[in-house]
Amino acid sequence: MTRIAHIELDDANLPPPTPEIEQERRVAMFDLMEHNTFELPDRDGRPVPPGPYHVGLSIRDKRLVFDVTTEAHEKAAEFHLSLTPFRQVVKDYFQICKSYFDAVKTLPPSQIETIDMARRGIHNEGARILQERLEGKVTVDDDTARRLFTLVCVLHFGG
């Protein structure tokens, strides 16, 4: 079973999210639980603990941490990613999201659609960067990467 069965964000030390950020988080977590691909590769000939997996996401010491356990709570993997490659795309994503949330309140559908297309493009770029950073550690499909990138943004919001 190469999937995430449970995901938890360690956001205990972060400020409360805005309603928009909280909504993004809820949708990403729901969609992630509905369908995802999360496959740990063989490492040095050692067998990979079977999934499905529980994944804890946090930011510790300015690094993005994935803490992966089995359903029996046995350690399956832990990896730490530098946040540096994500900084600009997260910043761009927050700016375009703000524009989008503002546009929804006042602009006509054609302008909202244009902003939403830009938002999706930046989101896809963030997901691509995440997949690159996870290479060799875990294999995720495009949709899983997009949803995980949203959760990375949620953690960045307060960090």
Side-chain angles (χ1 to χ4, degrees):
M1 301 277 287
T2 55
R3 67 179 186 85
I4 299 170
H6 177 78
I7 190 154
E8 188 169 323
L9 295 185
D10 182 3
D11 60 356
N13 296 322
L14 301 178
T18 65
E20 293 88 358
I21 298 292
E22 183 58 30
Q23 177 64 16
E24 292 280 316
R25 172 190 170 144
R26 275 195 303 268
V27 169
M29 290 182 87
F30 176 83
D31 289 347
L32 192 62
M33 292 302 93
E34 286 293 304
H35 176 76
N36 67 76
T37 300
F38 193 88
E39 185 173 357
L40 296 173
D42 288 335
R43 290 233 170 115
D44 303 321
R46 294 183 313 223
V48 175
Y53 302 105
H54 289 219
V55 176
L57 265 182
S58 62
I59 294 180
R60 281 188 254 151
D61 300 322
K62 298 183 180 183
R63 299 183 71 74
L64 177 63
V65 178
F66 283 76
D67 186 12
V68 185
T69 61
T70 65
E71 289 211 300
H73 303 289
E74 298 166 352
K75 185 68 117 182
E78 182 175 304
F79 31 94
H80 300 234
L81 306 178
S82 170
L83 289 172
T84 302
F86 297 101
R87 284 210 170 91
Q88 188 60 52
V89 72
V90 168
K91 180 180 175 184
D92 293 346
Y93 185 66
F94 276 126
Q95 287 177 333
I96 197 75
C97 283
K98 182 180 180 336
S99 296
Y100 175 79
F101 296 136
D102 291 344
V104 168
K105 298 172 190 169
T106 60
L107 295 178
S110 62
Q111 288 176 304
I112 294 169
E113 207 171 294
T114 301
I115 294 169
D116 191 44
M117 285 175 53
R119 182 174 78 135
R120 282 190 301 239
I122 293 169
H123 198 245
N124 287 340
E125 175 66 11
R128 184 192 62 75
I129 291 169
L130 182 60
Q131 281 178 305
E132 287 175 1
R133 303 295 298 152
L134 290 173
E135 193 170 326
K137 297 170 180 61
V138 64
T139 301
V140 296
D141 64 359
D142 292 341
D143 287 340
T144 302
R146 285 177 52 81
R147 292 163 184 145
L148 287 172
F149 175 72
T150 299
L151 297 178
V152 168
C153 289
V154 169
L155 288 173
H156 250 85
F157 172 74

